[in-house]
PDB file of all heavy atoms in Angstrom:
ATOM      1  N   GLU A 209     144.798  96.525 117.401  1.00 75.00           N
ATOM      2  CA  GLU A 209     144.343  96.420 118.762  1.00 75.00           C
ATOM      3  C   GLU A 209     144.631  95.006 119.316  1.00 75.00           C
ATOM      4  O   GLU A 209     145.045  94.819 120.422  1.00 75.00           O
ATOM      5  CB  GLU A 209     142.845  96.725 118.828  1.00 75.00           C
ATOM      6  CG  GLU A 209     142.402  97.257 120.172  1.00 75.00           C
ATOM      7  CD  GLU A 209     140.921  97.664 120.148  1.00 75.00           C
ATOM      8  OE1 GLU A 209     140.416  98.133 119.110  1.00 75.00           O
ATOM      9  OE2 GLU A 209     140.298  97.502 121.199  1.00 75.00           O
ATOM     10  N   ARG A 210     144.388  94.048 118.410  1.00 75.00           N
ATOM     11  CA  ARG A 210     144.629  92.654 118.799  1.00 75.00           C
ATOM     12  C   ARG A 210     146.089  92.456 119.161  1.00 75.00           C
ATOM     13  O   ARG A 210     146.392  91.851 120.193  1.00 75.00           O
ATOM     14  CB  ARG A 210     144.246  91.736 117.607  1.00 75.00           C
ATOM     15  CG  ARG A 210     144.176  90.282 117.982  1.00 75.00           C
ATOM     16  CD  ARG A 210     144.202  89.412 116.736  1.00 75.00           C
ATOM     17  NE  ARG A 210     143.115  89.681 115.821  1.00 75.00           N
ATOM     18  CZ  ARG A 210     141.860  89.208 115.970  1.00 75.00           C
ATOM     19  NH1 ARG A 210     141.605  88.445 116.987  1.00 75.00           N
ATOM     20  NH2 ARG A 210     140.926  89.460 115.101  1.00 75.00           N
ATOM     21  N   ALA A 211     146.981  92.993 118.346  1.00 74.00           N
ATOM     22  CA  ALA A 211     148.409  92.868 118.610  1.00 74.00           C
ATOM     23  C   ALA A 211     148.756  93.509 119.923  1.00 74.00           C
ATOM     24  O   ALA A 211     149.543  92.987 120.742  1.00 74.00           O
ATOM     25  CB  ALA A 211     149.200  93.513 117.480  1.00 74.00           C
ATOM     26  N   GLN A 212     148.137  94.657 120.166  1.00 72.00           N
ATOM     27  CA  GLN A 212     148.427  95.369 121.400  1.00 72.00           C
ATOM     28  C   GLN A 212     147.963  94.595 122.648  1.00 72.00           C
ATOM     29  O   GLN A 212     148.682  94.489 123.631  1.00 72.00           O
ATOM     30  CB  GLN A 212     147.733  96.733 121.360  1.00 72.00           C
ATOM     31  CG  GLN A 212     148.315  97.698 122.385  1.00 72.00           C
ATOM     32  CD  GLN A 212     147.588  99.033 122.311  1.00 72.00           C
ATOM     33  OE1 GLN A 212     146.358  99.090 122.206  1.00 72.00           O
ATOM     34  NE2 GLN A 212     148.356 100.119 122.354  1.00 72.00           N
ATOM     35  N   ILE A 213     146.778  93.990 122.515  1.00 70.00           N
ATOM     36  CA  ILE A 213     146.255  93.213 123.651  1.00 70.00           C
ATOM     37  C   ILE A 213     147.181  92.011 123.909  1.00 70.00           C
ATOM     38  O   ILE A 213     147.493  91.703 125.049  1.00 70.00           O
ATOM     39  CB  ILE A 213     144.829  92.707 123.346  1.00 70.00           C
ATOM     40  CG1 ILE A 213     143.868  93.867 123.335  1.00 70.00           C
ATOM     41  CG2 ILE A 213     144.385  91.664 124.367  1.00 70.00           C
ATOM     42  CD1 ILE A 213     142.508  93.541 122.803  1.00 70.00           C
ATOM     43  N   GLU A 214     147.684  91.444 122.840  1.00 69.00           N
ATOM     44  CA  GLU A 214     148.560  90.286 122.990  1.00 69.00           C
ATOM     45  C   GLU A 214     149.877  90.702 123.685  1.00 69.00           C
ATOM     46  O   GLU A 214     150.385  89.974 124.537  1.00 69.00           O
ATOM     47  CB  GLU A 214     148.867  89.721 121.639  1.00 69.00           C
ATOM     48  CG  GLU A 214     148.503  88.260 121.529  1.00 69.00           C
ATOM     49  CD  GLU A 214     148.723  87.759 120.126  1.00 69.00           C
ATOM     50  OE1 GLU A 214     149.870  87.842 119.624  1.00 69.00           O
ATOM     51  OE2 GLU A 214     147.749  87.300 119.543  1.00 69.00           O
ATOM     52  N   ARG A 215     150.347  91.877 123.300  1.00 70.00           N
ATOM     53  CA  ARG A 215     151.614  92.342 123.857  1.00 70.00           C
ATOM     54  C   ARG A 215     151.446  92.664 125.355  1.00 70.00           C
ATOM     55  O   ARG A 215     152.253  92.257 126.170  1.00 70.00           O
ATOM     56  CB  ARG A 215     152.021  93.612 123.096  1.00 70.00           C
ATOM     57  CG  ARG A 215     153.495  93.792 123.013  1.00 70.00           C
ATOM     58  CD  ARG A 215     153.913  94.709 121.878  1.00 70.00           C
ATOM     59  NE  ARG A 215     153.166  95.952 121.827  1.00 70.00           N
ATOM     60  CZ  ARG A 215     152.489  96.351 120.730  1.00 70.00           C
ATOM     61  NH1 ARG A 215     152.442  95.604 119.668  1.00 70.00           N
ATOM     62  NH2 ARG A 215     151.853  97.492 120.769  1.00 70.00           N
ATOM     63  N   THR A 216     150.412  93.362 125.680  1.00 68.00           N
ATOM     64  CA  THR A 216     150.295  93.859 127.060  1.00 68.00           C
ATOM     65  C   THR A 216     149.493  92.927 127.950  1.00 68.00           C
ATOM     66  O   THR A 216     149.489  93.055 129.151  1.00 68.00           O
ATOM     67  CB  THR A 216     149.613  95.249 127.064  1.00 68.00           C
ATOM     68  OG1 THR A 216     148.341  95.069 126.432  1.00 68.00           O
ATOM     69  CG2 THR A 216     150.409  96.260 126.301  1.00 68.00           C
ATOM     70  N   GLU A 217     148.789  91.961 127.328  1.00 64.00           N
ATOM     71  CA  GLU A 217     147.978  91.006 128.047  1.00 64.00           C
ATOM     72  C   GLU A 217     146.886  91.668 128.892  1.00 64.00           C
ATOM     73  O   GLU A 217     146.442  91.101 129.883  1.00 64.00           O
ATOM     74  CB  GLU A 217     148.857  90.094 128.933  1.00 64.00           C
ATOM     75  CG  GLU A 217     149.902  89.377 128.137  1.00 64.00           C
ATOM     76  CD  GLU A 217     150.288  88.083 128.779  1.00 64.00           C
ATOM     77  OE1 GLU A 217     149.947  87.870 129.973  1.00 64.00           O
ATOM     78  OE2 GLU A 217     150.868  87.243 128.096  1.00 64.00           O
ATOM     79  N   THR A 218     146.497  92.870 128.544  1.00 64.00           N
ATOM     80  CA  THR A 218     145.327  93.468 129.189  1.00 64.00           C
ATOM     81  C   THR A 218     144.439  94.067 128.116  1.00 64.00           C
ATOM     82  O   THR A 218     144.906  94.416 127.039  1.00 64.00           O
ATOM     83  CB  THR A 218     145.699  94.615 130.156  1.00 64.00           C
ATOM     84  OG1 THR A 218     146.610  95.477 129.448  1.00 64.00           O
ATOM     85  CG2 THR A 218     146.317  94.101 131.423  1.00 64.00           C
ATOM     86  N   LEU A 219     143.168  94.204 128.448  1.00 59.00           N
ATOM     87  CA  LEU A 219     142.254  94.823 127.524  1.00 59.00           C
ATOM     88  C   LEU A 219     142.279  96.325 127.755  1.00 59.00           C
ATOM     89  O   LEU A 219     142.415  96.788 128.883  1.00 59.00           O
ATOM     90  CB  LEU A 219     140.836  94.320 127.747  1.00 59.00           C
ATOM     91  CG  LEU A 219     140.614  92.860 127.400  1.00 59.00           C
ATOM     92  CD1 LEU A 219     139.227  92.439 127.853  1.00 59.00           C
ATOM     93  CD2 LEU A 219     140.798  92.642 125.916  1.00 59.00           C
ATOM     94  N   PRO A 220     142.159  97.100 126.687  1.00 59.00           N
ATOM     95  CA  PRO A 220     142.105  98.533 126.867  1.00 59.00           C
ATOM     96  C   PRO A 220     140.792  98.908 127.585  1.00 59.00           C
ATOM     97  O   PRO A 220     139.800  98.205 127.436  1.00 59.00           O
ATOM     98  CB  PRO A 220     142.083  99.084 125.437  1.00 59.00           C
ATOM     99  CG  PRO A 220     141.611  97.957 124.588  1.00 59.00           C
ATOM    100  CD  PRO A 220     142.031  96.720 125.271  1.00 59.00           C
ATOM    101  N   ALA A 221     140.819  99.959 128.342  1.00 55.00           N
ATOM    102  CA  ALA A 221     139.596 100.386 129.022  1.00 55.00           C
ATOM    103  C   ALA A 221     138.561 100.764 127.966  1.00 55.00           C
ATOM    104  O   ALA A 221     138.907 101.375 126.959  1.00 55.00           O
ATOM    105  CB  ALA A 221     139.903 101.619 129.879  1.00 55.00           C
ATOM    106  N   SER A 222     137.332 100.314 128.172  1.00 53.00           N
ATOM    107  CA  SER A 222     136.335 100.659 127.145  1.00 53.00           C
ATOM    108  C   SER A 222     135.873 102.087 127.341  1.00 53.00           C
ATOM    109  O   SER A 222     135.372 102.471 128.402  1.00 53.00           O
ATOM    110  CB  SER A 222     135.170  99.693 127.215  1.00 53.00           C
ATOM    111  OG  SER A 222     134.710  99.599 128.523  1.00 53.00           O
ATOM    112  N   ARG A 223     136.040 102.850 126.312  1.00 52.00           N
ATOM    113  CA  ARG A 223     135.640 104.259 126.362  1.00 52.00           C
ATOM    114  C   ARG A 223     134.181 104.381 125.972  1.00 52.00           C
ATOM    115  O   ARG A 223     133.678 103.586 125.223  1.00 52.00           O
ATOM    116  CB  ARG A 223     136.484 105.062 125.381  1.00 52.00           C
ATOM    117  CG  ARG A 223     137.904 105.306 125.802  1.00 52.00           C
ATOM    118  CD  ARG A 223     138.558 106.238 124.798  1.00 52.00           C
ATOM    119  NE  ARG A 223     138.464 105.712 123.456  1.00 52.00           N
ATOM    120  CZ  ARG A 223     139.345 104.837 122.935  1.00 52.00           C
ATOM    121  NH1 ARG A 223     140.306 104.399 123.653  1.00 52.00           N
ATOM    122  NH2 ARG A 223     139.179 104.409 121.714  1.00 52.00           N
ATOM    123  N   PRO A 224     133.506 105.407 126.523  1.00 51.00           N
ATOM    124  CA  PRO A 224     132.161 105.641 126.012  1.00 51.00           C
ATOM    125  C   PRO A 224     132.192 105.991 124.537  1.00 51.00           C
ATOM    126  O   PRO A 224     133.188 106.537 124.053  1.00 51.00           O
ATOM    127  CB  PRO A 224     131.668 106.804 126.857  1.00 51.00           C
ATOM    128  CG  PRO A 224     132.862 107.393 127.476  1.00 51.00           C
ATOM    129  CD  PRO A 224     133.915 106.346 127.538  1.00 51.00           C
ATOM    130  N   LEU A 225     131.170 105.642 123.828  1.00 48.00           N
ATOM    131  CA  LEU A 225     131.106 105.965 122.408  1.00 48.00           C
ATOM    132  C   LEU A 225     131.208 107.457 122.245  1.00 48.00           C
ATOM    133  O   LEU A 225     130.726 108.216 123.050  1.00 48.00           O
ATOM    134  CB  LEU A 225     129.784 105.493 121.815  1.00 48.00           C
ATOM    135  CG  LEU A 225     129.567 103.996 121.823  1.00 48.00           C
ATOM    136  CD1 LEU A 225     128.172 103.697 121.254  1.00 48.00           C
ATOM    137  CD2 LEU A 225     130.622 103.280 121.027  1.00 48.00           C
ATOM    138  N   ASN A 226     131.830 107.817 121.171  1.00 45.00           N
ATOM    139  CA  ASN A 226     132.045 109.236 120.900  1.00 45.00           C
ATOM    140  C   ASN A 226     130.725 109.989 120.843  1.00 45.00           C
ATOM    141  O   ASN A 226     129.841 109.660 120.065  1.00 45.00           O
ATOM    142  CB  ASN A 226     132.768 109.372 119.579  1.00 45.00           C
ATOM    143  CG  ASN A 226     133.364 110.711 119.403  1.00 45.00           C
ATOM    144  OD1 ASN A 226     133.069 111.610 120.179  1.00 45.00           O
ATOM    145  ND2 ASN A 226     134.198 110.839 118.428  1.00 45.00           N
ATOM    146  N   GLU A 227     130.565 110.975 121.681  1.00 42.00           N
ATOM    147  CA  GLU A 227     129.303 111.750 121.678  1.00 42.00           C
ATOM    148  C   GLU A 227     129.114 112.443 120.314  1.00 42.00           C
ATOM    149  O   GLU A 227     128.003 112.593 119.843  1.00 42.00           O
ATOM    150  CB  GLU A 227     129.350 112.761 122.817  1.00 42.00           C
ATOM    151  CG  GLU A 227     128.124 113.630 122.953  1.00 42.00           C
ATOM    152  CD  GLU A 227     126.872 112.835 123.268  1.00 42.00           C
ATOM    153  OE1 GLU A 227     126.946 111.853 124.032  1.00 42.00           O
ATOM    154  OE2 GLU A 227     125.803 113.181 122.753  1.00 42.00           O
ATOM    155  N   LEU A 228     130.225 112.808 119.685  1.00 38.00           N
ATOM    156  CA  LEU A 228     130.152 113.516 118.413  1.00 38.00           C
ATOM    157  C   LEU A 228     129.518 112.600 117.352  1.00 38.00           C
ATOM    158  O   LEU A 228     128.956 113.063 116.361  1.00 38.00           O
ATOM    159  CB  LEU A 228     131.524 113.942 117.956  1.00 38.00           C
ATOM    160  CG  LEU A 228     132.089 115.106 118.692  1.00 38.00           C
ATOM    161  CD1 LEU A 228     133.496 115.415 118.227  1.00 38.00           C
ATOM    162  CD2 LEU A 228     131.183 116.318 118.574  1.00 38.00           C
ATOM    163  N   ASP A 229     129.590 111.296 117.587  1.00 44.00           N
ATOM    164  CA  ASP A 229     128.998 110.337 116.716  1.00 44.00           C
ATOM    165  C   ASP A 229     127.516 110.661 116.522  1.00 44.00           C
ATOM    166  O   ASP A 229     126.906 110.355 115.526  1.00 44.00           O
ATOM    167  CB  ASP A 229     129.133 108.977 117.356  1.00 44.00           C
ATOM    168  CG  ASP A 229     129.386 107.934 116.316  1.00 44.00           C
ATOM    169  OD1 ASP A 229     129.867 108.278 115.233  1.00 44.00           O
ATOM    170  OD2 ASP A 229     129.103 106.757 116.592  1.00 44.00           O
ATOM    171  N   ARG A 230     126.938 111.255 117.563  1.00 44.00           N
ATOM    172  CA  ARG A 230     125.498 111.533 117.487  1.00 44.00           C
ATOM    173  C   ARG A 230     125.232 113.025 117.357  1.00 44.00           C
ATOM    174  O   ARG A 230     124.127 113.481 117.527  1.00 44.00           O
ATOM    175  CB  ARG A 230     124.836 111.049 118.752  1.00 44.00           C
ATOM    176  CG  ARG A 230     125.093 109.572 119.042  1.00 44.00           C
ATOM    177  CD  ARG A 230     124.439 109.210 120.330  1.00 44.00           C
ATOM    178  NE  ARG A 230     125.046 108.038 120.930  1.00 44.00           N
ATOM    179  CZ  ARG A 230     124.771 107.613 122.129  1.00 44.00           C
ATOM    180  NH1 ARG A 230     123.916 108.231 122.870  1.00 44.00           N
ATOM    181  NH2 ARG A 230     125.356 106.534 122.620  1.00 44.00           N
ATOM    182  N   ALA A 231     126.272 113.807 117.087  1.00 47.00           N
ATOM    183  CA  ALA A 231     126.112 115.244 117.030  1.00 47.00           C
ATOM    184  C   ALA A 231     125.419 115.684 115.749  1.00 47.00           C
ATOM    185  O   ALA A 231     125.373 114.934 114.797  1.00 47.00           O
ATOM    186  CB  ALA A 231     127.462 115.945 117.167  1.00 47.00           C
ATOM    187  N   LEU A 232     124.930 116.888 115.774  1.00 48.00           N
ATOM    188  CA  LEU A 232     124.293 117.448 114.594  1.00 48.00           C
ATOM    189  C   LEU A 232     125.357 117.643 113.505  1.00 48.00           C
ATOM    190  O   LEU A 232     126.516 117.866 113.805  1.00 48.00           O
ATOM    191  CB  LEU A 232     123.734 118.831 114.925  1.00 48.00           C
ATOM    192  CG  LEU A 232     122.469 118.891 115.706  1.00 48.00           C
ATOM    193  CD1 LEU A 232     122.102 120.345 115.933  1.00 48.00           C
ATOM    194  CD2 LEU A 232     121.359 118.242 114.908  1.00 48.00           C
ATOM    195  N   PRO A 233     124.921 117.584 112.265  1.00 48.00           N
ATOM    196  CA  PRO A 233     125.899 117.846 111.200  1.00 48.00           C
ATOM    197  C   PRO A 233     126.382 119.293 111.333  1.00 48.00           C
ATOM    198  O   PRO A 233     125.569 120.194 111.497  1.00 48.00           O
ATOM    199  CB  PRO A 233     125.097 117.616 109.922  1.00 48.00           C
ATOM    200  CG  PRO A 233     123.691 117.694 110.317  1.00 48.00           C
ATOM    201  CD  PRO A 233     123.590 117.299 111.750  1.00 48.00           C
TER     202      PRO A 233
END
Side-chain angles (χ1 to χ4, degrees):
Chain A
E209 207 175 327
R210 192 196 300 280
Q212 198 180 42
I213 292 170
E214 236 176 58
R215 210 160 48 236
T216 57
E217 304 208 343
T218 49
L219 292 173
S222 50
R223 285 186 305 274
L225 296 178
N226 196 348
E227 181 62 37
L228 287 178
D229 217 23
R230 305 178 203 171
L232 284 179

